[in-house]
């Protein structure tokens, strides 16, 4: 990797991502103002994640809207690789999906890929990833989804439904394709090699168009799916991509559930959140207060500000005031962190209650096995 | 392939197989007279397929018997790739398995790999291979297995039971391994690449030693399984291999369900059997009767004689008489074929009745889904 470059694959994100470059590299489309206006015609307002470019790229979003206009309603599909507890970065596409679901009154499928994380993490057992799948499902349910229009798929549990669909996909993908798209080598295990067809499967679980809100690192899977779709007589899935959520330590990777210090988990206590943000959140401030008052901070690289922008401060006016105050030096890093800590803990207080309530609802969300 | 050479893989058999060479190439052990005597100590008699070297090679058969003596009973596992109707060649390991089951009072698992045949045959759909799986199951049941100690596994139906086991195996096999063992290339589809782990899975379905009677062409799958077993804390499967059953047209391949004229199906009518044997069965006889009377025929290359030896004439004395009479020229090719036709049709008359009865029993044989 050249010094100024970056890597984005479903299993590895490294370097400072240039999203315009990434759009070119992946061959996706930037979300234009025209597209935003078009979405707003359907939704009435725009989710702040759209207004702020947290969702920045797409594939065939216009096709989805055209079909919707014709009465050919899409369904939503997103997911999570359960390698650990949910962190706040994971919630970004889920919260956005909930908004889309409410606005477009669609069905939603949520896939937990316990097999993938077993194949890709040498030390994790399938029992462990399955346990995390159930834990992660609670966070998803806690966001307000309803079992009437939302189904949770856990790969090892719902494999009977997924496998016959995955088989259609797998027959049309060869090892060269996976080398080109994921960088697989002769040393890659055959579970990993096959796995992408299982991530494709929910795209074809209903005979309707599908829209997938997801972190842009997952795009390669669906590039393969989109190549295969016409070969098996199915519509290509449409995608809408969010940026990678930075780790607490700042740019140069995505927040990862496998690094405790770089991550705020939805299960963290208020004390732990406070400690993590204060100790690890990368600051855009100056080395000392005097210099900060004079030169001001840089919110664009400050992780606390970014978390507010990405997730915790939906109010644009409030966010702008924080931006301006931090940039001018009026607001100190400690003050900015205090705002974020309060926001996170307020959110988690409610979320953790809903999360516990979700344990009793889980069964109603699980896809019926065929 | 050099002119004097041969190919044996699970999906392709070509050339005249030198079984002693194959034993060296695959690294298996020839079944010695010592081992035959040892088996006989357990079974009282020896199945004619053992006496005649139809089963000719093994891996760890002695370990299986040692463990059995210690009270650590094995279970049996064999299977079939349902690419078409069952032909009489398929019955060889099944009939032999039934004998082993009766002698050792063991449990038996029978796997129908509808997914494999879907992945490996460009023109077959999964619906078609699944349909053949059910048809093939009838032939298996018709051989006299009992649902109390025999379970049928159909991959697409029992994937929920198989997949978590297959995943343990798949994590320990990389693409290089499948290249080396199966000759896979970058163009091989990812379903095929993953598939071997599903053929391994039944080996670990019970926490006991397993013995697999099977055509020697299937050995490569279990070479991988045997490498993986200790890595996942399981015993290595033991194998006992039968020779390839020649196609009607004679040596140079195995009987294949995809070549109608080279194959006698269990569903063939007496007229069709008669026609196929008379028209296509490769003859070891001389060009005309006079020459045949003078020089005699060659039973060692005559397919009709081979079918009697392999399956249809269990009586060694009767078989020897046929051998001698054909070799001396006393028996003509037409007479030899007539014997075989009668034997096959006698067998199929009973088999086809049992096969139809099996339709009602099928559900009782299917493995319970976990």
């Amino acid at each position: 990797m050249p010094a100024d470059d970056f890597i984005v694959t479903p299993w590895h994100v490294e370097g400072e991502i240039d999203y315009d470059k990434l759009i070119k590299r992946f061959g996706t489309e930037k979300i234009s103002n025209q597209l935003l206006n078009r979405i707003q015609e359907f939704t009435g307002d725009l989710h702040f994640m759209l207004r702020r470019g947290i969702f920045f790229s797409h594939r065939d979003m216009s096709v989805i809207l055209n079909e919707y206009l014709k009465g050919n309603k899409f369904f939503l599909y997103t997911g999570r690789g359960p390698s650990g507890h949910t962190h706040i970065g994971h919630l970004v596409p889920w919260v956005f999906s909930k908004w889309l679901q409410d606005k477009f009154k669609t069905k939603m499928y949520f896939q937990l890929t316990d097999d993938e994380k077993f194949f890709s993490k040498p030390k994790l057992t399938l029992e462990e990833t399955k346990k995390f799948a159930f834990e992660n499902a609670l966070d998803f349910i806690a966001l307000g989804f309803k079992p009437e229009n939302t189904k949770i798929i856990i790969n090892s549990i719902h494999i009977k439904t997924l496998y016959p669909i995955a088989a259609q996909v797998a027959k049309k993908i060869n090892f060269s394709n996976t080398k080109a798209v994921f960088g697989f080598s002769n040393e890659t295990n055959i579970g990993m090699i096959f796995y992408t067809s299982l991530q494709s499967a929910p795209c074809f679980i209903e005979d309707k168009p599908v829209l997938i809100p997801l972190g842009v690192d997952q795009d390669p899977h669906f590039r393969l799916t989109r190549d295969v779709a016409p070969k098996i007589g199915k519509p290509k899935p449409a995608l809408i991509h969010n940026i990678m959520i930075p780790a607490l330590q700042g740019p140069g990777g995505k927040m990862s559930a496998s690094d405790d210090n770089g991550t705020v988990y939805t299960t963290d206590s208020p004390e732990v959140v406070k400690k993590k943000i204060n100790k690890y959140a990368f600051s855009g401030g100056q080395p000392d207060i005097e210099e900060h008052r004079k030169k001001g901070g840089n919110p664009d690289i400050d992780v606390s500000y970014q978390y507010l922008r990405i997730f915790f401060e939906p109010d644009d006016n409030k966010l702008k005031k924080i931006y301006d105050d931090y940039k001018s030096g009026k607001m100190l890093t400690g003050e900015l962190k205090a705002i974020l800590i309060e926001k996170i803990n307020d959110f988690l207080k409610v979320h953790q209650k809903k999360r516990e309530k979700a344990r009793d609802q889980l069964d109603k969300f699980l896809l019926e096995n065929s």
Side-chain angles (χ1 to χ4, degrees), chain A:
Chain A
M1 189 181 70
D4 64 343
D5 212 345
F6 55 88
I7 297 170
V8 177
T9 83
W11 300 285
H12 185 58
V13 175
E14 192 183 324
E16 204 163 335
I17 302 164
D18 177 330
Y19 285 102
D20 286 326
K21 265 197 194 168
L22 189 64
I23 282 173
K24 274 190 194 153
R25 197 188 280 180
F26 278 10
T28 70
E29 281 182 76
K30 195 165 182 163
I31 296 178
S32 64
N33 286 330
Q34 198 190 352
L35 180 58
L36 288 179
N37 290 336
R38 185 133 191 253
I39 293 171
Q40 197 166 3
E41 283 172 25
F42 290 86
T43 57
D45 58 359
L46 280 182
H47 195 278
F48 72 87
M49 291 179 185
L50 281 173
R51 292 198 307 266
R52 296 177 190 170
I54 310 305
F55 280 83
F56 71 105
S57 156
H58 75 103
R59 292 181 188 268
D60 282 348
M61 190 64 201
S62 313
V63 175
I64 285 290
L65 296 176
N66 293 344
E67 289 298 312
Y68 189 83
L69 262 186
K70 287 192 239 161
N72 191 12
K73 215 168 167 179
F74 62 92
F75 65 95
L76 289 161
Y77 157 39
T78 194
R80 149 101 178 113
S83 57
H85 276 295
T86 305
H87 59 64
I88 55 176
H90 294 127
L91 302 179
V92 168
W94 309 356
V95 163
F96 184 65
S97 295
K98 180 72 173 65
W99 180 79
L100 285 172
Q101 186 181 44
D102 292 343
K103 294 294 181 183
F104 289 95
K105 311 276 176 241
T106 67
K107 200 158 171 185
M108 164 95 203
Y109 290 90
F110 184 70
Q111 184 184 37
L112 287 153
T113 61
D114 54 347
D115 52 348
E116 175 204 10
K117 289 301 168 181
F118 169 66
F119 291 135
S120 67
K121 302 276 179 183
K123 287 183 184 165
L124 283 178
T125 67
L126 193 54
E127 289 68 36
E128 287 166 333
T129 57
K130 194 171 168 179
K131 199 197 82 192
F132 282 128
F134 279 103
E135 287 296 317
N136 296 169
L138 301 179
D139 290 299
F140 176 76
I141 295 169
L143 297 178
F145 291 98
K146 298 279 172 287
E148 300 85 70
N149 56 6
T150 308
K151 289 297 155 204
I152 294 176
I153 300 168
I154 299 178
N155 281 8
S156 70
I157 292 177
H158 296 102
I159 189 72
K160 198 182 166 193
T161 303
L162 298 178
Y163 188 66
I165 312 172
Q168 309 299 326
V169 176
K171 194 171 180 174
K172 302 293 181 190
I173 297 177
N174 66 28
F175 184 62
S176 279
N177 304 141
T178 70
K179 270 167 84 171
V181 170
F182 302 121
F184 285 169
S185 76
N186 282 353
E187 281 63 51
T188 305
N189 77 58
I190 62 175
M192 278 293 276
I193 295 171
F194 176 70
Y195 165 73
T196 190
S197 61
L198 284 165
Q199 188 156 327
S200 283
C203 296
F204 309 120
I205 203 163
E206 293 203 12
D207 212 9
K208 283 182 186 170
V210 60
L211 173 62
I212 311 173
L214 80 175
V216 69
D217 58 329
Q218 297 296 314
D219 181 77
H221 283 296
F222 300 102
R223 232 178 298 157
L224 281 175
T225 315
R226 287 170 54 88
D227 284 346
V228 168
K231 296 178 189 167
I232 60 171
K234 298 284 181 185
K236 291 186 178 191
L239 310 173
I240 184 161
H241 307 101
N242 63 261
I243 59 169
M244 299 289 90
I245 313 311
L248 285 178
Q249 291 90 338
K254 70 167 171 173
M255 187 180 274
S256 157
S258 15
D259 173 15
D260 272 15
N261 292 332
T263 307
V264 176
Y265 295 104
T266 60
T267 49
D268 282 347
S269 68
E271 295 71 35
V272 168
V273 170
K274 189 176 176 184
K275 195 184 135 193
K276 281 184 179 173
I277 299 298
N278 279 331
K279 188 162 177 188
Y280 298 110
F282 183 82
S283 163
Q286 303 301 339
D288 58 54
I289 295 184
E290 270 185 15
E291 208 177 329
H292 190 85
R293 292 284 188 217
K294 205 161 61 187
K295 295 186 183 167
N298 182 355
D300 295 318
I301 62 165
D302 186 282
V303 165
S304 300
Y305 175 78
Q306 290 305 319
Y307 283 16
L308 290 169
R309 182 177 83 92
I310 291 168
F311 197 88
F312 289 102
E313 184 48 81
D315 184 318
D316 286 357
N317 292 326
K318 286 186 188 166
L319 186 72
K320 186 172 186 306
K321 188 164 167 20
I322 293 168
Y323 186 93
D324 292 342
D325 286 354
Y326 192 63
K327 190 148 190 152
S328 71
K330 188 175 160 191
M331 182 181 283
L332 298 176
T333 295
E335 292 166 333
L336 176 57
K337 287 191 171 187
I339 292 172
L340 178 65
I341 291 165
E342 196 187 341
K343 283 277 180 187
I344 294 181
N345 282 337
D346 283 355
F347 172 80
L348 287 185
K349 195 178 168 185
V350 178
H351 182 79
Q352 287 170 0
K353 269 185 202 154
K354 288 183 183 165
R355 198 180 177 282
E356 284 312 305
K357 273 192 189 161
R359 288 191 195 275
D360 298 331
Q361 295 178 273
L362 187 53
D363 278 354
K364 283 187 280 179
F365 278 92
L366 291 179
L367 185 72
E368 298 77 36
N369 246 317
S370 57

